[in-house]
Amino acid sequence: MTHSIFDAFPTLETPRLRLRRIVPGDATAWLKVWTNPDVMRYLAGFEVDQATIKDMNGLVSWADGIYLQETGLRWAITLKPDDTLVGSCGFHLYSAANRCAEIGYELNRDYWRQGIMAEAVTTMLRFGFGPMNLHRIEANVTEGNEASAGLLRHLGFTHEGSWREKEYLRGRWHDLWQFGLLEDEFTLL
């Protein structure tokens, strides 16, 4: 029998972070992330002033569902030794046949500019190009989100182009910047 990354939800660790399965008890902490206007500025989803615990419970179910359907993995980002969610990151649109997936992430505003997301995404990339056996990892960034684009460039991603008016966000159309990273381009240890 072949071992699958979906046999048991993988927990990933660094010296200061734990990336673990998102559970129903994370809904309140995740709501804090999703109701900050700075965090949501470039993210499609709920209007900041309208997100509810019920919405977050729906996101928890979505994260569990993509894992159970083997189409993605979404981790809670937590700082050790505390186990409280401060953000999330993960793979979605996973295709084993094409050996590719798309990544996404968000982080509580209180934890920006501390290298947390770079550490979390680097850990994800190691997992993606390692146990997941991916050949290509993609990311779409809403136009203007220079922080996210800068993170991806720092991690070796190439800006490959734009999806014109791909996303309707807060009353207007936005382009999405397409980034890609191939397994032989990934050089971080």
Side-chain angles (χ1 to χ4, degrees):
M1 184 164 129
T2 305
H3 175 70
S4 166
I5 59 166
F6 296 101
D7 287 346
F9 195 93
T11 298
L12 309 178
E13 299 202 26
T14 72
R16 72 175 174 160
L17 301 180
R18 178 176 295 111
L19 306 183
R20 60 156 175 81
R21 191 174 194 164
I22 297 170
V23 296
D26 292 322
T28 300
W30 214 2
L31 181 63
K32 185 176 179 185
V33 176
W34 278 73
T35 54
N36 184 297
D38 292 333
V39 173
M40 294 306 294
R41 181 175 178 195
Y42 297 109
L43 294 179
F46 312 110
E47 293 299 324
V48 173
D49 59 349
Q50 296 176 358
T52 66
I53 273 293
K54 182 178 178 183
D55 295 326
M56 301 317 340
N57 286 328
L59 278 179
V60 171
S61 294
W62 167 81
D64 215 40
I66 63 171
Y67 168 68
L68 294 173
Q69 295 165 17
E70 300 185 4
T71 61
L73 295 163
R74 190 75 174 195
W75 288 276
I77 301 171
T78 68
L79 294 170
K80 293 178 180 176
D82 189 13
D83 200 36
T84 302
L85 179 147
V86 298
S88 79
C89 60
F91 295 103
H92 52 278
L93 303 177
Y94 167 66
S95 169
N98 293 310
R99 296 180 53 209
C100 69
E102 185 177 311
I103 61 170
Y105 44 82
E106 80 283 329
L107 187 65
N108 182 316
R109 174 71 175 93
D110 296 342
Y111 296 92
W112 287 8
R113 309 226 187 301
Q114 297 176 32
I116 291 170
M117 194 54 74
E119 191 173 328
V121 174
T122 298
T123 302
M124 275 183 22
L125 295 176
R126 284 189 194 116
F127 186 80
F129 289 124
M132 285 182 79
N133 193 33
L134 295 176
H135 173 70
R136 176 182 170 82
I137 296 175
E138 301 174 347
N140 288 310
V141 176
T142 304
E143 65 178 323
N145 191 345
E146 296 294 342
S148 186
L151 169 66
L152 294 169
R153 285 185 188 100
H154 171 74
L155 296 175
F157 281 77
T158 298
H159 180 215
E160 299 175 333
S162 295
W163 298 94
R164 297 180 308 128
E165 297 186 1
K166 176 84 171 173
E167 176 179 68
Y168 192 75
L169 177 63
R170 294 182 234 323
R172 72 180 189 91
W173 290 102
H174 294 266
D175 293 352
L176 289 181
W177 298 332
Q178 172 75 50
F179 287 85
L181 181 65
L182 303 177
E183 63 184 320
D184 63 354
E185 297 169 338
F186 182 63
T187 57
L188 297 173
L189 300 176

